[in-house]
mmCIF file of all heavy atoms in Angstrom:
data_model
loop_
_atom_site.group_PDB
_atom_site.id
_atom_site.type_symbol
_atom_site.label_atom_id
_atom_site.label_comp_id
_atom_site.label_asym_id
_atom_site.label_seq_id
_atom_site.Cartn_x
_atom_site.Cartn_y
_atom_site.Cartn_z
ATOM 1 N N LEU A 32 -203.991 156.672 -17.998
ATOM 2 C CA LEU A 32 -203.760 156.846 -16.666
ATOM 3 C C LEU A 32 -202.509 156.052 -16.139
ATOM 4 O O LEU A 32 -201.610 156.587 -15.461
ATOM 5 C CB LEU A 32 -204.943 156.460 -15.794
ATOM 6 C CG LEU A 32 -204.763 156.456 -14.212
ATOM 7 C CD1 LEU A 32 -204.472 157.898 -13.797
ATOM 8 C CD2 LEU A 32 -205.995 155.993 -13.567
ATOM 9 N N LEU A 33 -202.384 154.793 -16.655
ATOM 10 C CA LEU A 33 -201.299 154.015 -16.312
ATOM 11 C C LEU A 33 -199.993 154.612 -16.940
ATOM 12 O O LEU A 33 -198.861 154.549 -16.367
ATOM 13 C CB LEU A 33 -201.487 152.583 -16.802
ATOM 14 C CG LEU A 33 -202.465 151.740 -16.137
ATOM 15 C CD1 LEU A 33 -202.741 150.417 -16.813
ATOM 16 C CD2 LEU A 33 -202.101 151.546 -14.619
ATOM 17 N N THR A 34 -200.098 155.202 -18.104
ATOM 18 C CA THR A 34 -198.954 155.806 -18.752
ATOM 19 C C THR A 34 -198.503 156.966 -17.960
ATOM 20 O O THR A 34 -197.235 157.102 -17.711
ATOM 21 C CB THR A 34 -199.282 156.236 -20.195
ATOM 22 O OG1 THR A 34 -199.667 155.156 -20.997
ATOM 23 C CG2 THR A 34 -198.083 156.903 -20.854
ATOM 24 N N ALA A 35 -199.420 157.741 -17.500
ATOM 25 C CA ALA A 35 -199.023 158.949 -16.661
ATOM 26 C C ALA A 35 -198.349 158.514 -15.389
ATOM 27 O O ALA A 35 -197.356 159.063 -14.896
ATOM 28 C CB ALA A 35 -200.261 159.804 -16.358
ATOM 29 N N LEU A 36 -198.835 157.390 -14.767
ATOM 30 C CA LEU A 36 -198.265 156.873 -13.550
ATOM 31 C C LEU A 36 -196.822 156.339 -13.824
ATOM 32 O O LEU A 36 -195.916 156.586 -12.987
ATOM 33 C CB LEU A 36 -199.123 155.759 -12.982
ATOM 34 C CG LEU A 36 -200.449 156.222 -12.362
ATOM 35 C CD1 LEU A 36 -201.314 154.979 -11.982
ATOM 36 C CD2 LEU A 36 -200.213 157.093 -11.120
ATOM 37 N N ALA A 37 -196.707 155.687 -14.983
ATOM 38 C CA ALA A 37 -195.400 155.168 -15.310
ATOM 39 C C ALA A 37 -194.327 156.299 -15.465
ATOM 40 O O ALA A 37 -193.190 156.225 -15.012
ATOM 41 C CB ALA A 37 -195.408 154.357 -16.586
ATOM 42 N N VAL A 38 -194.759 157.392 -16.150
ATOM 43 C CA VAL A 38 -193.888 158.470 -16.271
ATOM 44 C C VAL A 38 -193.556 159.122 -14.930
ATOM 45 O O VAL A 38 -192.408 159.505 -14.683
ATOM 46 C CB VAL A 38 -194.497 159.577 -17.247
ATOM 47 C CG1 VAL A 38 -193.674 160.826 -17.220
ATOM 48 C CG2 VAL A 38 -194.651 158.976 -18.603
ATOM 49 N N GLY A 39 -194.573 159.223 -14.097
ATOM 50 C CA GLY A 39 -194.333 159.790 -12.761
ATOM 51 C C GLY A 39 -193.323 158.906 -11.909
ATOM 52 O O GLY A 39 -192.499 159.500 -11.196
ATOM 53 N N LEU A 40 -193.474 157.611 -12.043
ATOM 54 C CA LEU A 40 -192.492 156.753 -11.349
ATOM 55 C C LEU A 40 -191.101 156.946 -11.872
ATOM 56 O O LEU A 40 -190.084 156.920 -11.077
ATOM 57 C CB LEU A 40 -192.926 155.284 -11.500
ATOM 58 C CG LEU A 40 -194.118 154.878 -10.665
ATOM 59 C CD1 LEU A 40 -194.603 153.501 -11.009
ATOM 60 C CD2 LEU A 40 -193.870 155.012 -9.237
ATOM 61 N N LEU A 41 -190.958 157.133 -13.193
ATOM 62 C CA LEU A 41 -189.649 157.320 -13.771
ATOM 63 C C LEU A 41 -189.032 158.619 -13.221
ATOM 64 O O LEU A 41 -187.869 158.634 -12.837
ATOM 65 C CB LEU A 41 -189.801 157.479 -15.289
ATOM 66 C CG LEU A 41 -188.523 157.883 -16.054
ATOM 67 C CD1 LEU A 41 -187.514 156.754 -15.992
ATOM 68 C CD2 LEU A 41 -188.868 158.181 -17.483
ATOM 69 N N VAL A 42 -189.845 159.673 -13.168
ATOM 70 C CA VAL A 42 -189.342 160.974 -12.652
ATOM 71 C C VAL A 42 -188.954 160.770 -11.164
ATOM 72 O O VAL A 42 -187.923 161.365 -10.718
ATOM 73 C CB VAL A 42 -190.306 162.045 -12.767
ATOM 74 C CG1 VAL A 42 -189.869 163.354 -12.212
ATOM 75 C CG2 VAL A 42 -190.629 162.262 -14.303
ATOM 76 N N PHE A 43 -189.692 160.072 -10.413
ATOM 77 C CA PHE A 43 -189.417 159.811 -8.932
ATOM 78 C C PHE A 43 -188.012 159.174 -8.820
ATOM 79 O O PHE A 43 -187.254 159.543 -7.952
ATOM 80 C CB PHE A 43 -190.511 159.005 -8.319
ATOM 81 C CG PHE A 43 -190.300 158.696 -6.914
ATOM 82 C CD1 PHE A 43 -190.565 159.618 -5.918
ATOM 83 C CD2 PHE A 43 -189.751 157.498 -6.526
ATOM 84 C CE1 PHE A 43 -190.254 159.357 -4.590
ATOM 85 C CE2 PHE A 43 -189.552 157.175 -5.151
ATOM 86 C CZ PHE A 43 -189.796 158.132 -4.221
ATOM 87 N N ARG A 44 -187.799 158.146 -9.655
ATOM 88 C CA ARG A 44 -186.489 157.437 -9.545
ATOM 89 C C ARG A 44 -185.322 158.435 -9.849
ATOM 90 O O ARG A 44 -184.297 158.350 -9.314
ATOM 91 C CB ARG A 44 -186.464 156.319 -10.624
ATOM 92 C CG ARG A 44 -187.340 155.113 -10.245
ATOM 93 C CD ARG A 44 -186.892 153.896 -11.000
ATOM 94 N NE ARG A 44 -186.822 154.086 -12.410
ATOM 95 C CZ ARG A 44 -187.755 153.838 -13.229
ATOM 96 N NH1 ARG A 44 -188.934 153.451 -12.756
ATOM 97 N NH2 ARG A 44 -187.543 154.011 -14.539
#
Side-chain angles (χ1 to χ4, degrees):
L32 176 60
L33 289 176
T34 299
L36 288 174
V38 171
L40 288 173
L41 172 68
V42 177
F43 178 78
R44 290 201 305 270

